[in-house]
Amino acid sequence: RLRIDYEPPHPTSLLITEGYSYRYVPQLKQVERYRINPDNTLIQTNYMLLGFGAATEDVLRAYHVSLANSARKDRGRIAIVLTPRQPEEAAFKTIEMVVDTERTVPVEFRVTQWDGTEALVQILPEKLVLDVQVEDRMFRPSFPADAQIVDIR
């Protein structure tokens, strides 16, 4: 189970539970629901959990891992590139992940899609809280009544 709540300027919530991934976008009043294929959970799940508990062995089975051309050791960070070993089953071309080497947590993800577009997610280390007791209700898919659910794939 995983839940990530992103703050403004692009507030969204990501929930992974019970074989589904949910992405709620309040501005659109929309929930994207994606069924995690039980036959291909390695790439799909690792894509969603990178840096947040995915086992190293699973990541290495799913991705070729290399240092990024822009690998930076400034401020105690390093950048690596993950390329799916089974590109025909991946929804993206690569993921560049910047890791804080002191805390060993990701602080940035850059996902490159097959059409070349990129999505950048930055995590503020001071706002990242790990291993906190969270009530079970936080992992139940519960969205506002006016939110439209859109099934992806």
Side-chain angles (χ1 to χ4, degrees):
R1 299 186 312 176
L2 174 75
R3 181 182 179 122
I4 301 173
D5 294 312
Y6 296 97
E7 295 182 354
H10 304 290
T12 57
S13 293
L14 173 67
L15 174 63
I16 301 172
T17 187
E18 301 173 3
Y20 284 91
S21 168
Y22 301 88
R23 182 171 163 255
Y24 173 57
V25 183
Q27 295 152 316
L28 300 177
K29 296 183 180 180
Q30 180 174 299
V31 178
E32 295 173 358
R33 180 172 56 189
Y34 178 79
R35 179 155 177 71
I36 298 172
N37 181 345
D39 297 329
N40 186 24
T41 56
L42 189 61
I43 285 181
Q44 294 176 17
T45 305
N46 279 329
Y47 168 59
M48 294 180 225
L49 297 179
L50 279 174
F52 293 99
T56 301
E57 298 80 21
D58 289 343
V59 172
L60 292 173
R61 271 191 306 216
Y63 301 99
H64 296 284
V65 180
S66 61
L67 284 176
N69 289 336
S70 62
R72 39 190 193 257
K73 290 209 174 198
D74 62 309
R75 301 175 306 185
R77 296 178 176 186
I78 190 161
I80 58 173
V81 175
L82 299 119
T83 306
R85 291 186 182 273
Q86 300 171 341
E88 67 281 357
E89 295 184 17
F92 53 89
K93 186 175 179 181
T94 61
I95 299 172
E96 181 175 320
M97 181 170 59
V98 178
V99 177
D100 177 320
T101 57
E102 186 176 316
R103 290 185 65 196
T104 62
V105 294
V107 293
E108 183 177 299
F109 292 95
R110 181 178 310 273
V111 179
T112 303
Q113 304 295 335
W114 288 107
D115 65 1
T117 58
E118 294 181 341
L120 176 67
V121 174
Q122 294 178 315
I123 300 168
L124 302 174
E126 63 274 11
K127 295 221 176 206
L128 182 63
V129 181
L130 301 173
D131 298 324
V132 174
Q133 288 288 14
V134 180
E135 296 178 39
D136 279 343
R137 69 176 177 77
M138 297 299 290
F139 296 101
R140 288 188 207 117
S142 177
F143 307 101
D146 63 347
Q148 176 187 11
I149 296 179
V150 177
D151 285 310
I152 307 295
R153 276 205 252 206

